[in-house]
């Protein structure tokens, strides 16, 4: 009998294959005390395990297929850097020497301390980075405990065409998936902003996360279907389901083969209205993908990676060199740099002042609030962006502005830095465009006020929906309330777009909603003319734009704004598919 299991689809597509379950043994970490005469032996054992873990990761990195997205290798590099980080390795060594802990237990204590720090972060993306700690520590622990390599890590595995099921996947696992020809994966944990989801989209393979107890209902070598579009896994599918999904696979292949031909086609609606299509990127290596899909620029460049996995914050020169390298890769395309969107509880990075633990960090000190409170973190980045603006088309975007006082403070700091650079005869673009991410409901409601003072706005729907609905979007208990089509969300979007039009400044959308093609026509009807999306989805959004008639979409959007529920909006949008 066919069993249908539901999770969160984070990478589109359909895969049919046999199951391989990654069963990482629940490591039984021993705790015992060692004598003084054993301290040197124990410290050497830990250091040798760390060295061997590095060798394993380097070997995996060397097996990355040539056709793999350039965004994959940096995830492996991040884990290699973590193995060199004193924050991870020096404290266990200290515990061995001062408290007589065995290596496994000392490492576990440090892992628990680091994970606690990440759990306290309010930013969903940063909170999921605790998974990286777990993956690195587990690799070392397996070596210490003399565990055998897992099946999918064996170089002679025959897993081509298989579908992986795991509680979670490390970046190294994901690289090995492509090396072995894995066609899809399902994890029991994770969310849309987890590294697992990001890697799946970069590899362009179907993936479902948050499918609880998947390994309980699917056994090794079971035949399954993974529908990454709907977030559904079918276990032991019947012949009817197999025929249906095989047809879907054929149609998808034709569809995506046709999309690449749109790369050079200008993004215009049927009635000739031009639409800007830019890309969201996170790592410098991702910029090559931007050119492959023909994006007109980068509408969101996240800079948080510069602050990660280090004891001290990046200095101005590091920022500057990074941005120059990016601009060189962009070859004249515009680049929108978002300033640091870090949380207040980010103890793993240097430069942060100690403060009380926040009871509700999702509403706490983050992004521009943190920057204004701790200018030693903020000012070097702003100076570097100003300097980089002399070398290319740069825009500066401030995240999480909620009131004009914050806006004026940022603009005042920029004026001070411009005066400093002038005095030092350092070049910069005196007309650098400064904009805001509209992701707090207060900013959307008062978008007209922000539009008077800024050069552009960009709607960050991920947080806008989260804050509008008063939910944590990565909390399984309330994730059903994360609804992009809620009338309140649509009205805030429309309010922001209208404010930009009145002030004659551009308004973009850079949240996940912009990259979901089922919302493209509604957003066009609401007045959106600038999309910034994950590169993997850009051509699909372009195809919808090319097939759209704005006059008709405006009436659909007006009807959607009058709806009382998200379900009513869905019914209104269904008219687009039937006519």
């Amino acid at each position: 009998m066919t069993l249908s299991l539901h999770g969160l689809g984070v990478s589109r597509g359909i895969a049919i294959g046999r199951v391989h379950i990654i069963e990482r043994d629940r490591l039984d970490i021993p705790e015992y005390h060692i004598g003084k005469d054993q301290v040197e032996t124990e410290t050497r054992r830990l250091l040798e395990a760390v060295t061997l873990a590095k060798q394993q990761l380097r070997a995996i990195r060397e097996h990355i297929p040539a056709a793999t997205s350039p965004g994959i290798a940096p995830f492996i590099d991040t884990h290699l850097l973590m193995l060199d980080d004193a924050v991870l390795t020096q404290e266990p060594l200290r515990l061995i020497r001062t408290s007589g802990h065995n290596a496994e237990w000392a490492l576990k204590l440090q892992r628990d301390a680091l994970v606690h720090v990440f759990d306290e972060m309010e930013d969903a993306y940063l909170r999921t980075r605790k998974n990286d700690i777990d993956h690195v520590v587990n690799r070392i622990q397996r070596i210490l405990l003399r565990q055998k390599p897992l099946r999918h890590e064996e170089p002679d595995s025959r897993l081509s065409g298989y579908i992986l099921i795991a509680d979670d996947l490390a970046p190294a696992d994901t690289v090995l998936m492509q090396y072995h020809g894995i066609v899809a994966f399902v994890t029991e944990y994770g969310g849309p902003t987890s590294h697992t989801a990001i890697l799946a989209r970069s590899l362009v393979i179907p993936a479902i996360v948050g499918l609880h107890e998947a390994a309980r209902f699917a056994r090794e070598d079971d035949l399954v279907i993974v529908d990454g579009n709907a977030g559904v896994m079918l276990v032991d599918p019947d012949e009817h389901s197999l025929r249906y999904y095989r047809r879907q696979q054929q149609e998808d292949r034709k569809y995506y083969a046709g999309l690449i031909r749109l790369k050079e086609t200008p993004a215009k609606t049927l009635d000739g209205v031009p639409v800007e299509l830019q890309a969201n990127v996170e790592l410098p290596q991702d910029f090559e993908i931007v050119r492959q899909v023909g994006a007109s620029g980068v509408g969101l460049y996240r800079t948080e990676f510069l602050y990660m996995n280090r004891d001290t914050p990046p200095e101005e020169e590091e920022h500057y060199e990074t941005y120059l390298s990016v601009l060189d890769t962009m070859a004249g395309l515009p680049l929108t740099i978002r300033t640091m969107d870090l949380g207040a509880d980010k103890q793993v990075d240097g430069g942060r002042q100690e403060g009380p633990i926040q009871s509700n960090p999702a509403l706490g000190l983050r992004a521009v609030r943190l920057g204004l409170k701790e200018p030693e973190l903020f000012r070097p980045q702003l100076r570097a962006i100003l300097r980089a603006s002399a070398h290319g088309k740069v825009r500066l975007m401030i995240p999480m502005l909620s009131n004009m006082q914050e806006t004026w403070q940022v603009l005042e700091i920029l004026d001070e830095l411009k005066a400093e650079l002038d005095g030092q005869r350092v070049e910069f673009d005196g007309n650098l465009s400064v904009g805001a991410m509209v992701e707090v409901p207060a900013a959307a409601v008062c978008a007209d006020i922000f539009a008077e003072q800024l050069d552009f706005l960009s709607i960050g729907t991920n947080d806008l929906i989260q804050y509008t609905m008063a939910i944590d979007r990565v909390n399984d208990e309330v994730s059903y309330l994360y609804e992009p089509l809620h009338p309140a969300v649509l009205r805030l979007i429309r309010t922001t777009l209208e404010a930009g039009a009145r002030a004659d400044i551009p308004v973009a959308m850079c949240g996940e909603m912009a990259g979901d093609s089922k919302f493209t026509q509604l957003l066009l009807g609401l007045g959106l003319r600038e999309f910034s999306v994950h590169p993997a989805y850009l051509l699909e959004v372009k195809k919808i734009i090319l097939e759209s008639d704005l006059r008709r979409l405006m009436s659909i959007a007006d009807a959607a704004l009058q709806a009382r529920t998200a379900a009513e909006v869905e019914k209104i949008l269904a008219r687009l598919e039937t006519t």
Side-chain angles (χ1 to χ4, degrees), residues 252-307:
D252 283 353
R253 281 192 284 270
K254 293 177 184 177
Y255 176 73
Y256 289 111
L259 286 181
I260 196 64
R261 294 196 289 268
L262 301 178
K263 175 185 173 182
E264 304 297 337
T265 304
K268 289 184 180 180
T269 62
L270 286 173
D271 37 352
V273 177
V275 177
E276 193 79 14
L277 274 179
Q278 298 194 336
N280 298 340
V281 298
E282 181 167 352
L283 298 168
Q285 295 85 349
D286 293 338
F287 284 91
E288 182 59 34
I289 312 172
V290 173
R291 304 188 66 81
Q292 290 173 8
V293 297
S296 60
V298 169
L300 170 61
Y301 175 35
R302 301 179 176 97
T303 57
E304 289 73 49
F305 79 96
L306 286 166
Y307 297 83

Side-chain angles (χ1 to χ4, degrees), residues 129-143:
R129 300 285 71 77
K130 72 179 182 182
N131 297 330
D132 294 309
I133 298 291
D134 271 336
H135 294 316
V136 171
V137 169
N138 284 344
R139 182 171 289 276
I140 301 171
Q141 293 284 25
R142 290 185 66 85
I143 294 169

